[in-house]
Amino acid sequence: SDSPCLQGHLNRISKTETMEGTDMRTITGPSELIRGEIDCFLQAARRRSEYDPVPRRRTDRRYHRSWPLQVRIAGIEISTALHNASRNGLAFLSARPVNPGTIIFINLFCHDDDRPRVPAVVRHATHNDHGYLIGCEFLLEDYLCSQAVGQ
């Protein structure tokens, strides 16, 4: 596949010491895999994107770029468009609202179904002229990341 950073994910192997020697088949934990997916996505989003020159109250720079996303909400897939992204979350445009507090799973590289989905919690749904701006915070709890990797 020509997806960005895919080779980096294939190389995310950790060594596990056992009584019999070193086991090289142990894959990095699910939260580390998801953090790698987010970092890969941000690396790609930074290219040809605009960013907030004044961070205001934010600790992380937001990158503005239109990018297709697939979002799974309660088992239902919707196509959305990225509005902005940072290390800790993103906002996307949606035709319908999503309630704050809802856990969603985002395919950051929607053209590649083999990529893990990233769990996030909706923080706000703001109505605008284009539908709704949905702001999300990435979640890196192992139980959610395990679900995301298994999807």
Side-chain angles (χ1 to χ4, degrees), residues 2-5 37-50 63-71 78-85 90-94 106-112 115 138:
D2 60 356
S3 294
C5 307
E37 186 73 358
I38 293 166
D39 291 344
C40 178
F41 170 72
L42 286 175
Q43 178 184 341
R46 282 184 192 110
R47 295 185 202 118
R48 292 171 291 186
S49 69
E50 297 177 12
Y63 296 91
H64 297 267
R65 182 168 182 191
S66 181
W67 178 299
L69 301 172
Q70 282 294 119
V71 178
I78 64 169
S79 295
T80 66
L82 176 69
H83 177 70
N84 64 46
L90 58 75
F92 61 85
L93 298 172
S94 173
I106 306 166
N107 184 339
L108 300 174
F109 297 96
C110 70
H111 59 278
D112 189 345
R115 304 292 291 232
F138 297 132

